[in-house]
Amino acid sequence: MRIGDMFPSSLAIVDDDREFADYLAQYLVQRGVSVRVFHDSDEFLTSADAYGFDFYVIDLTLPGVDGVDLIRLVRRKGPAGIVVVSGRVGADVFESVLRAGADMYMMKPVRFEQVALAIEAVHRRVKGSHAQESVWRLDRAAKKLIAPDGARIDLSENDLAVAECFVAAEGTTVTRATLCERLGRDPQTEADNLLHAAIYRLRRRLERATSSTVPLHSEHKVGYTFRGKLSVV
């Protein structure tokens, strides 16, 4: 099995221990993972792509929103893997993080190799449990996206243009430049936040209309991937 198959493609570390978080990020990047580090929960929650990662490593004692509450927020958005790595002690810590939705709890101090093994194990379990791919359908004529649960979501012209890019990509990453060009924007001069806003509005429209997990993921500094099966009717 290739290293790229063993680990998630994208991962967020939310930990105010800068040395630990930054060195863990370097360790995982060497294993082919795209990693972003957030040193407090507010920084993470205000990020445009907060809920677009495949995996999360979360500390419990954070500036801003507490780690347990942060786990609940992330879990509501989808089935991504969540490993807690924290120095918090207490009789109810283990139970509280698992009830909040985390997949595994690890007590600091811990070696990077151990964290990597935990990520690999959880990722393998999550990937296996979602092996049956959800099918989304694009109705071009009606300008609607049909979710796996049958919800029919109206698409704006920009939404339709983005969806067409994902259909053509067949599960691979669509670059920011490609999306900007399809939306009629110059990728050399248009600010990134314009594209972020377009993707954010599409994601929110889908999340509000369907109970199905929205498989729209950000690939940091590259583009976006629609990881569910997307067909045309």
Side-chain angles (χ1 to χ4, degrees):
M1 181 179 287
R2 296 179 296 109
I3 286 180
D5 297 325
M6 296 162 58
F7 293 99
S9 298
S10 62
L11 181 147
I13 298 173
V14 190
D15 194 319
D16 64 342
D17 183 337
R18 292 178 178 268
E19 183 176 9
F20 175 83
D22 292 345
Y23 278 113
L24 175 60
Q26 292 177 26
Y27 185 88
L28 294 173
V29 166
Q30 292 171 359
R31 279 145 187 81
V33 185
S34 175
V35 181
R36 287 189 66 186
V37 176
F38 302 90
H39 294 301
D40 65 68
S41 54
D42 291 340
E43 178 189 1
F44 167 76
L45 290 170
T46 56
S47 167
D49 304 324
Y51 302 112
F53 296 92
D54 296 323
F55 207 101
Y56 298 83
V57 175
I58 299 176
D59 188 15
L60 294 180
T61 306
L62 295 166
V65 175
D66 181 72
V68 174
D69 292 328
L70 186 62
I71 293 165
R72 293 193 184 99
L73 292 172
V74 171
R75 179 52 71 224
R76 288 191 195 122
K77 296 296 182 178
I82 302 174
V83 169
V84 172
V85 182
S86 177
R88 181 181 292 181
V89 296
D92 62 342
V93 172
F94 180 79
E95 181 179 355
S96 66
V97 298
L98 293 188
R99 286 188 179 278
D103 297 289
M104 190 178 295
Y105 174 73
M106 306 184 77
M107 175 71 75
K108 291 179 180 178
V110 63
R111 299 196 309 273
F112 298 144
E113 295 92 334
Q114 293 173 311
V115 178
L117 285 171
I119 291 169
E120 180 186 346
V122 171
H123 175 63
R124 183 170 59 247
R125 185 167 70 239
V126 170
K127 188 176 180 181
S129 66
H130 295 88
Q132 184 64 38
E133 196 171 33
S134 297
V135 178
W136 295 69
R137 292 172 292 157
L138 176 64
D139 186 336
R140 286 169 169 157
K143 296 182 181 178
K144 293 181 183 293
L145 191 63
I146 306 169
D149 64 359
R152 298 175 64 87
I153 304 110
D154 293 324
L155 301 178
S156 68
E157 290 294 337
N158 280 348
D159 293 336
L160 184 60
V162 171
E164 292 280 10
C165 289
F166 291 133
V167 169
E170 298 182 334
T172 61
T173 300
V174 181
T175 66
R176 294 176 182 274
T178 296
L179 288 166
C180 282
E181 289 170 0
R182 192 63 183 265
L183 292 172
R185 297 166 181 162
D186 184 349
Q188 301 300 320
T189 60
E190 294 282 0
D192 269 354
N193 59 1
L194 294 177
L195 178 57
H196 281 316
I199 296 294
Y200 175 79
R201 284 193 295 270
L202 174 59
R203 193 200 306 276
R204 290 291 291 160
R205 183 171 291 120
L206 300 183
E207 289 175 341
R208 287 168 178 166
T210 176
S211 60
S212 301
T213 299
V214 178
L216 180 55
H217 294 264
S218 169
E219 308 296 342
H220 185 49
K221 295 184 179 180
V222 179
Y224 294 87
T225 307
F226 195 89
R227 296 190 183 150
K229 185 175 181 181
L230 181 58
S231 61
V232 178
V233 297

